[in-house]
Amino acid sequence: MITLRPSEARGRGKLDWLDSYFSFSFSHYYDPAHINFSNLRVINEDYIAPGKGFATHGHQDMEIITYVLEGELKHQDSIGNGSIIRPGDVQRMSAGTGILHSEFNPSPDQPVHLLQIWITPNQLGVEPSYEQKFFSTEDKQGKLRLVASPDGRNGSVTIHQDAHIYASVLEQGKTVSYSLSNRRAWLQIIKGNLTLNGKTLKTGDGAGISGEQTLTCTGQEGETEFLLFDLP
């Protein structure tokens, strides 16, 4: 079964410096039909204005993954990490017993566009940790590139959960397939259009998937970028 989550059906949050779209309930947006999908708790698509950002704030017992689409995001945290996250980077922060961090757009004139993803961990109270790795477009072209996993294999970032995140870039007419067996999946379109087992998805759309043995994704017009979450 494939249940579409159209882009325009997502929740919305808008401030003078922040424009957000929520795939699942978050902050003031509450939808009892869309609180989570398996252990996937948050997919927020954020646009942060130049020179603005999230002041220092805390998290606990959550796996937080940041995937920048355009622009740059400056990160600082309470365990000594400071970095700039750019397109192609995957940042993983395990909040564990507690971590403070800030996220800021350092550009004076360009917005930053990103996905922030939260996955509930399978262990509580772990020591907070941080990881950031780069995956080129070529590394994702025409394939499903593993970018996050519970064991860090194939150079992916390591998360405390039985979840695997793949990134892919497909040209028109190109196809990738994935064997799901008895697990669930979520597919999130970053840009472009594709067909998923015959169903059409466009930019910003998501899909919750269960009871499917094989997923077949085919790129449509132009170039399509998406994330695939393999979940229990």
Side-chain angles (χ1 to χ4, degrees):
M1 181 173 68
I2 298 175
T3 303
L4 298 183
R5 177 71 161 140
S7 174
E8 59 272 16
R10 293 179 294 176
R12 184 81 183 273
K14 190 166 176 60
L15 303 171
D16 59 350
W17 61 273
L18 175 66
D19 195 3
S20 298
Y21 296 84
F22 309 129
S23 294
F24 305 103
S25 296
F26 186 84
S27 185
H28 65 277
Y29 169 65
Y30 177 71
D31 181 348
H34 297 95
I35 294 177
N36 63 286
F37 186 84
S38 182
N39 50 44
L40 179 58
R41 177 61 189 85
V42 165
I43 301 178
N44 290 353
E45 182 176 9
D46 292 336
Y47 296 82
I48 302 174
K52 302 294 183 179
F54 298 94
T56 300
H57 60 284
H59 296 283
Q60 187 171 350
D61 289 326
M62 192 64 69
E63 302 294 299
I64 300 171
I65 296 162
T66 301
Y67 194 96
V68 170
L69 310 177
E70 297 174 289
E72 298 182 343
L73 188 70
K74 184 177 181 179
H75 167 90
Q76 296 282 151
D77 65 43
S78 57
I79 57 174
N81 297 294
S83 67
I84 301 292
I85 311 165
R86 299 179 175 90
D89 289 332
V90 175
Q91 180 212 61
R92 184 270 304 165
M93 189 171 65
S94 296
T97 55
I99 192 169
L100 299 174
H101 79 131
S102 62
E103 298 168 299
F104 182 76
N105 180 359
S107 172
D109 53 15
Q110 296 297 319
V112 60
H113 178 200
L114 62 100
L115 294 181
Q116 186 168 107
I117 298 155
W118 293 8
I119 293 176
T120 55
N122 57 13
Q123 304 173 53
L124 301 181
V126 301
E127 182 179 353
S129 61
Y130 179 92
E131 197 175 9
Q132 183 174 326
K133 293 189 175 182
F134 176 75
F135 302 89
S136 69
T137 298
E138 292 72 24
D139 204 21
K140 297 174 278 192
Q141 195 85 48
K143 68 186 78 169
L144 290 165
R145 177 57 165 103
L146 185 67
V147 298
S149 68
D151 55 7
R153 71 182 184 280
N154 298 335
S156 58
V157 300
T158 304
I159 56 176
H160 295 90
Q161 184 51 271
D162 177 20
H164 304 75
I165 305 175
Y166 296 85
S168 184
V169 176
L170 289 182
E171 295 178 356
Q172 184 175 352
K174 297 296 184 180
T175 295
V176 292
S177 295
Y178 187 77
S179 178
L180 197 57
S181 188
N182 294 315
R183 289 167 64 85
R184 289 178 284 179
W186 183 274
L187 191 143
Q188 187 69 36
I189 305 295
I190 293 171
K191 67 174 182 179
N193 304 273
L194 62 71
T195 58
L196 167 64
N197 290 12
K199 294 182 180 291
T200 300
L201 286 82
K202 64 185 187 306
T203 301
D205 286 354
I209 305 154
S210 60
E212 301 282 334
Q213 295 301 304
T214 302
L215 305 180
T216 301
C217 301
T218 302
Q220 300 302 308
E221 321 121 37
E223 189 175 73
T224 302
E225 183 175 4
F226 66 95
L227 295 179
L228 175 64
F229 299 80
D230 178 333
L231 307 163

